[in-house]
Amino acid sequence: MSALAAHTPTPAPAGGDEFHTRRNGKMAFLLMLPGLLWLGLFFVLPLYQLFEVSLQSRYPGYPGYYYRDLNFHNYAQALTDYAPHFARSFGYAGLATFFAFVLAYPLAYAMAFKAGKWRGLMMICVIAPFFTSFILRTFAWSQILADEGFVVRFLNFFHLLPSEHIINTPVAVIAGLTYNFLPFMVLPIYASLERADARVIEAGGDLYANGFTTFRTVTLPMSMPGVLAGTLLTFIPAAGDFVNMELLGPQRGKMVGNVINDQFLTVPGGYPIAAALSFTLMAAILILVFLYVRRFGTEELV
Amino acid sequence: MAGFRGAQGNLRLENVTKEFTDFLAVDDLSLEVPRGSFFALLGPSGCGKTTTLRMVAGLEQPTTGRVFIGDTDLTGSRPYERPVNTVFQSYALFPHLTIRENVAFGPKRRKQKDALKLADEALELVQMTQFAGRKPAQLSGGQQQRVACARALVNHPEVLLLDEPLGALDLKLRREMQVELKRIQTEVGLTFVHVTHDQEEAMTMADTVAVMNQGRIEQMGPPEVLYDLPKTKFVANFVGQSNMGEGKITGTDGDFLVAEVYGSTVRIRKDRTTVQSGNLVFGVRPEKVKVSRNKPEGIGNDVRGIVKDVSFIGVATSYLLEMPSGTTWSVYEQNLDLDRIDLKPGDEAWMIWDAGHAFGVEIEGEQS
Ligand SMILES: Nc1ncnc2c1ncn2[C@@H]1O[C@H](COP(=O)(O)OP(=O)(O)OP(=O)(O)O)[C@@H](O)[C@H]1O
Ligand SMILES: [Mg+2]
């Protein structure tokens, strides 16, 4: 050993190694740079600006004009005036997430385990809606759920609709949200089921668990990372959505997204309130997601 | 359902065939494993070992044929109804459960109250107690394999199927686990069906070894018998080594057949060959052969070759010799002689054996 060491010029390999890691670090930085610049320019900067706006105050007597301030009253006002809107946002988004899960899980399960050669086709069907615009598809739903549409006519024929309408009710909004975010629920659940080792599921049967018990104790827990991702991908955008409410919902009883939209675009001098609402919404979602992941998260995701 | 779960007795496969869409994986296989015995299924990769086990476990249904335990016909019943557990080739541990929960899974499903205690005992058996709280992903392959063994063993099934359960272990641990498995098997009196590539493992552990090839059982029997008298060329090559050469039967001599092999005359006992006339493959095990520089006196049972390699191993010396046809024979000679035979590569030498050790099998492809 020592003889060998004496003969080799030791610093060379070490120096080479160091050079290598430093080069790698530089490379990583260069690769990340465009993304970081993009993020800084188009996300962090506007976010900061939004935060600043959320603390501005109005010039009395000049609607539409503000001055820089630290007006935390905006937040208090946003919360007190629009608490019901927040509640609706989270309530509707929660329901839509629930329904999307109920619809998506069997679909994803069938795609992963039962579809056989139809799997590709089913996948295309799940993704196909993305080829038309979100707005257009939501408009299509306003037709489907319209009073003259076949759904309402059919239900009314059997006197199953107490109010005789679906369009312009919360039901239509939740239906729209569920529909629009369904693929975001299906795909991660499918991915996690697809990745599950068939032998592991068989092991459940081999160890005395019947079909349902195997599902409950093996398959479902193994797909939890997908369920978690799917519910987040559905709930987060649904809670901030305003298009479904705008196109399918009632005139009164809007969601936070609509208020923000109105405050920004139609109410003169609404900027600070809109900004404060945006920030509150973001914070609320972050907290909810954090609690949710803490409660149900698996190690892989946290 | 309780009927299936309570089945007891010998494991019996009757004319079981499994055909996948375009592939015959198991071909008309029949076997009987006596209750409480250790049965080894030995065969090359892809010969249908796993498929056979899966049909016993109920994870696959035979295309035709039936599977019995004792008098209970298990064909068509579901895996969870059978008193059978499997150690999967790929371990198949539940990734979301800890090691202890993995092992307790079976007992819990059978509503055993002390499931966790049983699990701990089983883990101790495979020396995995200290990892009980970990998840499978945090274990090495060999550790996972031992957990897989514990997870199946803990249930004390009527039949335990082990699909290469020791493949990922190092030699030392492998020997330990072999002893441990064998001990559990004899102590608890379970029927073990043990699949392996490793003929040594099969021979040391099993009461009965079945050699499988292309979905069929080539030969089945106690390890000694299988080694001493292979019935096919495949078995002769797969179980231990064999020196073989094609020959032609020329006559008989009392209890012996006389054949021409590599230009020499050799004798084979009539009850040690599956062919009685025509062409055959002649074989003899390397350790039954001696080398000599000169043609021995007497009648036959020798062939001539060119020495290709000599390696001294200590307890023995191993020679490789090239036969006239180009095939290589090996000789494994214990260093019993006082003066060593001084052979070098390139030398001409004679190989001699006792006629009683020779065997004859059919030339492959000629058998029906
Ligand atoms: N589901 C299947 N569909 C089609 N062919 C299959 C299927 N399962 C197994 N086979 C084929 O059946 C043959 C036997 O497979 P099997 O898994 O039983 O082999 P094995 O003896 O266990 O091999 P190994 O020692 O490599 O595990 C293989 O040729 C395999 O390709
Ligand atoms: Mg196999």
Side-chain angles (χ1 to χ4, degrees), chain A residues 199, chain B residues 18-26 43-54 60 89 163-164 195-197 212 215:
Chain A
R199 297 278 175 275
Chain B
K18 180 69 194 182
E19 212 175 331
F20 292 112
T21 34
D22 55 348
F23 189 82
L24 193 60
V26 174
S45 186
C47 72
K49 303 182 298 290
T50 299
T51 309
T52 308
L53 290 199
R54 287 171 62 80
E60 211 85 67
Q89 194 168 9
D163 199 347
E164 298 183 33
V195 160
T196 175
H197 280 128
M212 223 176 145

Side-chain angles (χ1 to χ4, degrees), chain B residues 101-144:
Chain B
E101 289 165 342
N102 259 282
V103 180
F105 190 92
K108 271 188 189 156
R109 299 286 90 73
R110 284 180 301 128
K111 309 257 184 305
Q112 288 188 312
K113 281 197 201 67
D114 47 356
L116 285 173
K117 201 173 129 273
L118 289 172
D120 285 335
E121 285 168 13
L123 283 173
E124 200 169 330
L125 218 57
V126 296
Q127 306 171 23
M128 289 293 296
T129 309
Q130 81 233 56
F131 300 110
R134 289 211 196 163
K135 293 279 180 72
Q138 299 165 312
L139 297 185
S140 76
Q143 291 167 340
Q144 291 185 39

Side-chain angles (χ1 to χ4, degrees), chain B residues 11 20 42 46 49 52 87 102 120 127 138 158-159 165 193 197 271 277 279 303 327 332 335-336:
Chain B
L11 169 67
F20 292 112
L42 185 63
K49 303 182 298 290
T52 308
V87 179
N102 259 282
D120 285 335
Q127 306 171 23
Q138 299 165 312
E158 183 65 16
V159 175
V193 181
H197 280 128
D271 57 351
S277 65
N279 294 330
V303 287
T327 53
Y332 192 78
N335 301 320
L336 294 172

Side-chain angles (χ1 to χ4, degrees), chain B residues 241-260:
Chain B
Q241 268 185 305
S242 293
N243 295 319
M244 290 192 279
E246 290 191 11
K248 192 173 168 55
I249 295 169
T250 52
T252 58
D253 174 10
D255 283 343
F256 290 89
L257 287 178
V258 181
E260 283 296 316

Side-chain angles (χ1 to χ4, degrees), chain B residues 65-313:
Chain B
R66 315 208 73 80
V67 177
F68 293 87
I69 288 181
D71 296 327
T72 315
D73 186 351
L74 295 179
T75 323
S77 66
R78 317 286 269 150
Y80 63 89
E81 297 173 320
R82 304 187 182 197
V84 175
N85 289 117
T86 309
V87 179
F88 287 83
Q89 194 168 9
S90 53
Y91 326 138
L93 299 178
F94 304 120
H96 58 289
L97 298 180
T98 64
I99 297 309
R100 179 185 287 115
E101 289 165 342
N102 259 282
V103 180
F105 190 92
K108 271 188 189 156
R109 299 286 90 73
R110 284 180 301 128
K111 309 257 184 305
Q112 288 188 312
K113 281 197 201 67
D114 47 356
L116 285 173
K117 201 173 129 273
L118 289 172
D120 285 335
E121 285 168 13
L123 283 173
E124 200 169 330
L125 218 57
V126 296
Q127 306 171 23
M128 289 293 296
T129 309
Q130 81 233 56
F131 300 110
R134 289 211 196 163
K135 293 279 180 72
Q138 299 165 312
L139 297 185
S140 76
Q143 291 167 340
Q144 291 185 39
Q145 206 157 39
R146 281 185 278 161
V147 175
C149 285
R151 188 179 67 171
L153 273 171
V154 71
N155 300 297
H156 286 183
E158 183 65 16
V159 175
L160 186 67
L161 307 173
L162 303 107
D163 199 347
E164 298 183 33
L166 309 176
L169 304 183
D170 62 72
L171 203 64
K172 180 171 167 291
L173 198 54
R174 202 180 166 113
R175 294 281 171 262
E176 271 176 43
M177 284 289 291
Q178 284 175 0
V179 172
E180 198 58 38
L181 282 177
K182 185 74 191 163
R183 189 184 63 74
I184 295 163
Q185 189 262 332
T186 24
E187 229 163 65
V188 190
L190 306 178
T191 310
F192 273 39
V193 181
H194 184 113
V195 160
T196 175
H197 280 128
D198 178 354
Q199 43 122 351
E200 204 177 310
E201 182 173 296
M203 295 212 278
T204 49
M205 297 178 83
D207 303 313
T208 310
V209 177
V211 179
M212 223 176 145
N213 186 27
Q214 299 187 344
R216 292 168 155 275
I217 288 187
E218 292 256 336
Q219 191 176 349
M220 186 156 55
E224 317 83 69
V225 175
L226 221 62
Y227 185 83
D228 183 53
L229 187 56
K231 297 267 192 213
T232 69
K233 194 174 164 188
F234 179 82
V235 174
N237 270 325
F238 201 80
V239 179
Q241 268 185 305
S242 293
N243 295 319
M244 290 192 279
E246 290 191 11
K248 192 173 168 55
I249 295 169
T250 52
T252 58
D253 174 10
D255 283 343
F256 290 89
L257 287 178
V258 181
E260 283 296 316
V261 178
Y262 296 136
S264 294
T265 308
V266 299
R267 283 168 169 69
I268 314 166
R269 251 173 48 195
K270 279 181 181 162
D271 57 351
R272 288 182 61 88
T273 168
T274 55
V275 210
Q276 302 296 333
S277 65
N279 294 330
L280 87 172
V281 173
F282 168 87
V284 60
R285 297 286 188 186
E287 75 280 5
K288 306 278 162 57
V289 182
K290 289 167 75 75
V291 280
S292 161
R293 204 171 245 297
N294 310 309
K295 179 163 172 60
E297 302 292 313
I299 38 153
N301 301 318
D302 49 46
V303 287
R304 196 181 49 147
I306 307 291
V307 177
K308 275 173 66 185
D309 185 53
V310 182
S311 40
F312 179 71
I313 317 173

